[in-house]
Amino acid sequence: MNETIKTLLNRRSIRSYTPEQLKDDDLQIILKTGKFAPSAMNQQSWHFTVVQNKEILQRINQVIRAIFLKSGNAHFEEMAKADTFHVFYNAPTLIIVSGDEKAIAPQCDCALAMGNLFLAASSLGIGSCWIHALTQLDTTPEGTKLISDLGIPSGNKIFASGAFGYAASETPTPAPRKDNAVNII
Ligand SMILES: Cc1cc2nc3c(=O)[nH]c(=O)nc-3n(C[C@H](O)[C@H](O)[C@H](O)COP(=O)(O)O)c2cc1C
């Protein structure tokens, strides 16, 4: 089995991180792989926003917490009430991938780019996890202001975001995969 296949099979979502920050060289190569993802008509509709500032990370968590508390979803409300609530598991780096809403397929472009970031990170021994809640930032005035303060280009929508950092515990065993998901004709 070659190293690429091993990385594809061994990457897992990590939900517990050490405070150690990514090395800048690693961050740069991870971001480069995102830019080399396929995109519809090569529009590269993505924009990558990397957040490592602790105060801003905390602010993002608080805005998401407020969204969860008012979500009307009992599961999310319970999560947000916990003192330890941290939507991206205290990861030291958050990468938000926003896409130009006028592009052909920005959601697909951004998801493929995020997939590359995850796999590149995994190949470097860096953990990651998709954090979906950030796609809801634009549903409240506080979240909309945050999007603007983060410098996310106007006309872009957040389609993907991911936590990145070093795993604080052992890589989890893979969640079971469905065995009826393939039909070869
Ligand atoms: C679109 C999408 C949204 C997800 N949202 C979250 C999330 O908000 N929080 C989280 O902890 N994991 C999230 N995940 C991670 C999945 O739970 C995880 O990929 C899945 O359970 C399989 O586990 P694995 O990544 O370790 O193979 C998300 C994954 C995807 C693709």
Side-chain angles (χ1 to χ4, degrees), residues 11-13 15 89 129-133 175 177:
R11 177 216 54 80
R12 296 277 72 81
S13 293
R15 298 188 172 89
Y89 311 109
C129 187
W130 186 297
I131 307 297
H132 205 58
R177 263 43 186 177

Side-chain angles (χ1 to χ4, degrees), residues 8-15 68 76 79 87-89 107 111 118 128-135 159-161 171-177:
L8 287 159
L9 295 178
N10 292 335
R11 177 216 54 80
R12 296 277 72 81
S13 293
I14 298 300
R15 298 188 172 89
F68 274 22
F76 291 136
M79 277 176 72
V87 72
F88 43 93
Y89 311 109
Q107 186 162 13
F118 287 163
S128 64
C129 187
W130 186 297
I131 307 297
H132 205 58
L134 274 84
T135 60
F159 288 112
S161 74
T171 302
T173 47
R177 263 43 186 177

